[in-house]
Every structure is written in structure tokens, then in C-alpha cells.
Amino acid sequence: MTDEILALTEKIVQQAQKEGAEQSEALIIQGKLLSIQIEDSAIVKANNRSTSGIGLRVLINQALGLGASTVLEAKKIDRIVKDAISLAKATTPDPALVGLGEKTEKPYHKVPKLFDKKLATIDSSLLVDLAISALNAALERDPEVIVSGSVSV
């Protein structure tokens, strides 16, 4: 996680609490999406795009409000916070909602082999080649088969 992203999450949480949130939490995602789509035994679409987003949850008087944006820019923070605060104030309180997650100093449990660096850095041309190989293998087995589906990483 870059220092810039961490600073952005801290800023949005602090601003939400300054504007009346009793509790708040922010989530930022950044990533890359590669996808290949196959229809009627032919590759019809290949996408290679970046994805990003920021989300905010706030709690006010046992009412939850959400704000989000797909643009990771500091100037979007005001709108996200205002949306979340206004939604929380307009929402009926939920007596069962006692709070957001508690901060813990315990380290997160590490799950072995959860992240595959080769898959995360796969080149789009290799993914296309893999899709073509899979398509050809299906057609070699049965030339009459119609293959449709997609692969995304």
C-alpha cells in the first residue's frame, strides 16, 4: 500500500468524523482486470483495464450511511463524506447495529498461497493465448461443440 493511498483513507475517515460520524471506515481498491470473452466458439472481446475505487461507511446514532467513488482523488472526498453523512442521517436507526469493526493491534492471519504473483502480473497476450488453447482443445475433442464463456484475472 502506498503512502498516498494510506493518507487518502486517513483523510476521508478524519473528515467524516469531523462532520459528525461517530464511527467511520474507508476502503480503497486498486487493481488491473484482464478478461477474454468467448461466444459461439470465437473470441469476441478482450479487455485490459485498471480499476479503482474508494468507499466510506459512517455510523451516526445507530444508522449507517455509505459514500463511494470510482475516482481516487482528494477532491472527491467532500462529496463521498457528504453522501455518507446525509444517508446516515436519513436512515432509520437500527438498534441491532452497535458499531463498525473494532481496531485491533493483532496482526491479520496470513493465508498461505492465497496470492499468485504470476497470475497478478500475467501479460494480456498470454491470457489470450491460453484462451485460444482452451478453445482449440475443446474443438479438437468435439468439432460440433459450441464454446462460450469467459476468463478474467
Side-chain angles (χ1 to χ4, degrees):
M1 179 178 301
T2 67
D3 292 338
E4 182 180 317
I5 291 173
L6 187 56
L8 191 58
T9 56
E10 289 174 349
K11 182 176 180 179
I12 196 169
V13 165
Q14 290 169 357
Q15 185 172 336
Q17 291 179 352
K18 181 180 170 186
E19 294 193 25
E22 295 161 6
Q23 293 184 25
S24 59
E25 66 180 7
L27 168 72
I28 290 184
I29 60 165
Q30 278 188 309
K32 184 172 89 168
L33 176 66
L34 299 174
S35 64
I36 309 295
Q37 187 174 346
I38 299 170
E39 292 178 9
D40 294 327
S41 301
I43 293 178
V44 295
K45 187 189 261 184
N47 281 322
N48 183 357
R49 64 181 178 161
S50 295
T51 59
S52 63
I54 184 167
L56 173 68
R57 291 193 323 163
V58 300
L59 189 63
I60 301 173
N61 296 325
Q62 290 183 292
L64 188 64
L66 306 170
S69 175
T70 57
V71 179
L72 294 180
E73 294 178 1
K75 65 184 178 182
K76 295 288 185 183
I77 288 177
D78 288 340
R79 175 80 288 160
I80 296 166
V81 171
K82 285 182 174 130
D83 287 348
I85 296 288
S86 65
L87 284 171
K89 288 180 177 178
T91 300
T92 303
D94 180 355
L97 185 58
V98 294
L100 302 177
E102 294 292 321
K103 184 177 180 179
T104 179
E105 299 302 321
K106 293 180 183 179
Y108 290 104
H109 178 71
K110 301 246 187 244
V111 179
K113 299 181 181 179
L114 179 65
F115 180 75
D116 185 340
K117 190 171 185 174
K118 285 182 186 177
L119 193 56
T121 59
I122 191 170
D123 184 73
S124 58
S125 62
L126 179 56
L127 189 63
V128 170
D129 290 344
L130 290 170
I132 290 170
S133 293
L135 177 59
N136 288 338
L139 293 173
E140 283 175 17
R141 179 143 174 100
D142 182 354
E144 300 298 317
V145 73
I146 297 175
V147 180
S148 294
S150 64
V151 60
S152 298
V153 292

